[in-house]
Amino acid sequence: MNNILDLKYPYLCKFFETAIKENRLFHSIIFYGSNNYIQYAMALELARQLNCMAEGENKGKNDCQCRNCRWIRENKHPAVMTISKIDNKNEKDTTKTVISAQQTEMILDKIYTASDYKRVFIFCNADLKKLVLKEKSEYEEFKTTGFSAPQVEKDEFIWYPSAVTGKCFPETSANAMLKSIEEPSSAITFIFLTNNTNDLISTIVSRSQAFYVPDSHKSQYSTDFFSKYFNKYPSFNSDTALDFAQSLFQYQSDNNLEASYIIDCIQFYLIEILKSNINNKFLTNKIFNDINKTEEAKRMLRAYVKEIQVYEHLAFYFAEKI
């Protein structure tokens, strides 16, 4: 994969490279997290890998200069489309705040039209805006991946791929695509960029495989506290799940921490385990599921579920078998 992405997200890159080689890449993918530029770069890299024209061991290499790889790096490939409220709209489409029904119809037309390429549709909530400091940092990192945004900078206004949500991707537009997502062609891949899977309608989430993409600019989390509980992971002991939950709650109280930070620490710890076990298919699937479960725990916190109950819910889920 792209060497910048491979350096910062080796576990995800390895997972997708293997899935592509073995022809088992999920047809609908959700990238979630706070850095949507990195998610967008990962989506373009997947599109490049799928469409690379090189043969054998050279297929998908970072320095490949085949026509498809060049087009995708330049964001000019006819089969790789960014779908947002400002991207890939025809002149008659007057909607300005949402992914419209007309765009959905356009996607369906393309799905049912024969193509020599692997079609990839990347959904996000894009804007042309003057970036704040953090966004500028993310944009500079995105440029180092070698990919281009679908729209060029103009008078300091820069294309920014924020998270797709139900607000910008209304249920009427999303539902029109469900059959295509549920019964896809092998030549079609849908990719959704969001902050939380809960921001998308449940029918899309249930038909997709979700992957957490952490923000590479975040500071390291403290994980030493968890090592004694996770030292035999994934053989997490259900008999001690309640003790683990109580210990999390006590650790949070003793150190005057937010419960969301504790969940972030667990998430980061699981990612570190994932990095060193990426070749174990069964284990990676469990870890990805457990990471997704930490996102559910965060949503429970935002819904004002008691913190101890959130910890218990998470602990018992970790104890489930592979």
Side-chain angles (χ1 to χ4, degrees):
M1 272 204 164
N2 180 287
N3 55 354
I4 298 296
L5 298 177
D6 191 56
L7 178 66
K8 295 193 174 184
Y9 304 93
Y11 54 96
L12 281 175
C13 292
K14 179 66 175 178
F15 182 88
F16 289 124
E17 284 177 5
T18 302
I20 291 171
K21 286 179 182 177
E22 297 181 357
N23 197 29
R24 60 181 182 90
L25 184 69
F26 226 69
H27 57 270
S28 183
I29 293 169
I30 298 171
F31 289 141
Y32 65 95
S34 61
N35 190 332
N36 300 120
Y37 266 124
I38 283 297
Q39 294 173 12
Y40 188 68
M42 190 74 73
L44 290 174
E45 177 62 16
L46 271 179
R48 189 185 73 81
Q49 291 276 334
L50 287 166
N51 284 286
C52 180
M53 300 168 68
E55 299 291 339
E57 293 183 359
N58 292 321
K59 187 174 180 63
K61 281 196 171 181
N62 296 329
D63 57 354
C64 182
Q65 293 299 316
C66 74
R67 180 188 62 198
N68 284 354
C69 286
R70 292 198 312 272
W71 280 355
I72 292 171
R73 290 192 190 99
E74 296 168 2
N75 221 317
K76 297 178 180 178
H77 200 288
V80 180
M81 304 183 69
T82 300
I83 309 299
S84 80
K85 65 188 180 188
I86 64 170
D87 295 292
N88 281 301
K89 286 195 169 184
N90 63 45
E91 294 179 355
K92 296 180 181 180
D93 191 341
T94 59
T95 57
K96 296 181 179 180
T97 60
V98 297
I99 295 171
S100 67
Q102 286 178 288
Q103 286 174 287
T104 303
E105 291 172 4
M106 176 268 294
I107 292 169
L108 295 176
D109 286 342
K110 290 187 177 296
I111 286 175
Y112 296 119
T113 302
S115 173
D116 294 331
Y117 306 118
K118 298 281 189 178
R119 295 191 186 276
V120 180
F121 299 96
I122 306 170
F123 293 80
C124 62
N125 182 26
D127 285 293
L128 291 174
K129 57 184 291 189
K130 292 184 179 181
L131 305 184
V132 300
L133 185 61
K134 182 179 184 297
E135 294 167 347
K136 286 181 180 178
S137 177
E138 293 172 352
Y139 177 59
E140 291 302 318
E141 182 179 51
F142 169 70
K143 290 198 296 185
T144 66
T145 65
F147 293 113
S148 299
Q151 299 193 37
V152 298
E153 299 178 32
K154 185 177 181 180
D155 299 327
E156 297 185 5
F157 284 85
I158 298 172
W159 183 86
Y160 180 75
S162 56
V164 66
T165 66
K167 185 176 181 179
C168 66
F169 189 26
E171 194 164 344
T172 51
S173 298
N175 282 337
M177 291 177 43
L178 288 183
K179 185 176 181 181
S180 298
I181 294 176
E182 190 170 31
E183 302 174 1
S185 160
S186 60
I188 307 294
T189 303
F190 300 96
I191 305 177
F192 301 89
L193 314 183
T194 192
N195 291 340
N196 294 289
T197 54
N198 199 42
D199 292 334
L200 294 169
I201 65 170
S202 60
T203 44
I204 284 183
V205 176
S206 65
R207 291 163 172 79
S208 306
Q209 190 169 21
F211 297 92
Y212 175 60
V213 183
D215 189 340
S216 61
H217 294 281
K218 284 187 177 179
S219 59
Q220 296 291 302
Y221 292 108
S222 173
T223 59
D224 291 343
F225 171 73
F226 307 113
S227 59
K228 65 179 180 179
Y229 294 101
F230 282 95
N231 61 354
K232 294 183 179 179
Y233 184 88
S235 299
F236 198 81
N237 191 342
S238 59
D239 294 335
T240 61
L242 287 176
D243 290 339
F244 177 50
Q246 187 59 50
S247 296
L248 290 179
F249 186 70
Q250 191 64 50
Y251 182 75
Q252 173 195 334
S253 301
D254 291 345
N255 293 274
N256 195 28
L257 299 171
E258 295 288 336
S260 58
Y261 174 78
I262 300 294
I263 304 299
D264 280 339
C265 288
I266 294 174
Q267 204 168 57
F268 181 82
Y269 194 87
L270 289 172
I271 288 171
E272 292 302 301
I273 297 175
L274 182 63
K275 289 179 182 179
S276 58
N277 291 278
I278 195 61
N279 292 317
N280 185 327
K281 294 179 185 178
F282 295 104
L283 181 55
T284 55
N285 285 336
K286 174 170 174 55
I287 296 174
F288 275 126
N289 288 336
D290 287 352
I291 290 172
N292 289 339
K293 205 66 177 182
T294 61
E295 284 298 311
E296 181 180 317
K298 292 179 186 178
R299 293 194 293 272
M300 292 172 69
L301 289 172
R302 291 194 293 270
Y304 303 104
V305 176
K306 290 183 178 179
E307 293 166 348
I308 186 61
Q309 292 178 348
V310 174
Y311 291 144
E312 289 174 356
H313 175 78
L314 199 56
F316 279 111
Y317 186 86
F318 288 160
E320 292 184 5
K321 301 296 184 182
I322 297 179

